[in-house]
Amino acid sequence: MTRTLDLTDPATGEVFGTSPIASQPEVDAALESAAQAFAIWRRSTPAHRQLALLKIADTLEARAAEFADLEVRETGKIRSMVLDEEIPECVSALRFFAGAARQLEGTAARAGVVDLDVGPGDRRPVVGRTGPRLRVGRHPRAAASEMPHDRFS
C-alpha cells in the first residue's frame, strides 16, 4: 500500500489532492534515474540545451495562468504576485540561461551569472539547489522549473 500525504490549500484548509510518500527504494531509483538523465544531458549540445530551456520558458509564459493557479493553491501566495512577478522572473531566468548555455568557455560564469543567483537583475541570495531547480530567497519555488517534464508536452 502506497502511503500518501494530503495536499492542503493553505488559504481554505481544503484537501485538494494527495501526493505519494516515497519509500527508500523509490528514492534510490529516482536518484539513479536522475544520474542517468544527467549523463545524457551533459553530453547534449549547447544548441539542444538552449532549445530545451527556451521551450520551457515559452510553455511557462503561454500557460502562466495555469501555473499561477497551481502555485496559489499549493502555497497560498497572492495570484497577482505570482503572475506579475514570479513567473516573469522565472521566464527571464530560463531565457537568460538558455543564452548562457552557448557560452562553452565559461565566460558567462566569470561575467557574473553565478553571482546573479537567478538571472539578470536578480540579487536575492540562493537558498539551496536540488536537481535542476534553483530555489531563491523570497520565492520558495519557481513554478515552472519544478514541474515534471511531461507537463511541458
Side-chain angles (χ1 to χ4, degrees):
M1 182 85 174
T2 302
R3 295 180 347 178
T4 61
L5 176 70
D6 287 342
L7 302 176
T8 305
D9 182 328
T12 66
E14 170 193 351
V15 174
F16 63 87
T18 60
S19 177
I21 298 174
S23 65
Q24 188 61 52
E26 290 169 322
V27 171
D28 293 341
L31 290 172
E32 177 60 31
S33 179
Q36 290 174 8
F38 179 69
I40 295 167
W41 178 258
R42 75 182 309 171
R43 290 189 310 268
S44 64
T45 65
H48 178 263
R49 292 178 187 196
Q50 182 180 45
L51 184 61
L53 292 172
L54 289 172
K55 184 176 180 181
I56 293 168
D58 291 346
T59 302
L60 174 59
E61 190 171 56
R63 295 172 56 187
E66 179 184 348
F67 282 102
D69 290 340
L70 291 169
E71 186 74 359
V72 167
R73 190 169 203 185
E74 289 184 15
T75 65
K77 292 179 182 178
I78 299 168
R79 188 173 192 274
S80 63
M81 179 177 271
V82 175
L83 277 173
D84 297 340
E85 294 181 24
E86 294 184 22
I87 289 177
E89 286 180 20
C90 188
V91 169
S92 177
L94 286 164
R95 289 186 175 139
F96 178 81
F97 284 109
R102 295 276 189 158
Q103 300 296 323
L104 292 178
E105 70 280 349
T107 57
R110 286 194 301 275
V113 172
V114 172
D115 294 334
L116 289 175
D117 300 329
V118 172
D122 197 333
R123 300 277 188 214
R124 289 184 302 274
V126 171
V127 174
R129 179 178 154 86
T130 53
R133 300 181 282 212
L134 195 59
R135 296 188 183 260
V136 182
R138 83 177 169 128
H139 303 301
R141 292 192 319 159
S145 59
E146 291 198 314
M147 295 301 292
H149 295 286
D150 61 333
R151 294 290 299 231
F152 295 106
S153 51

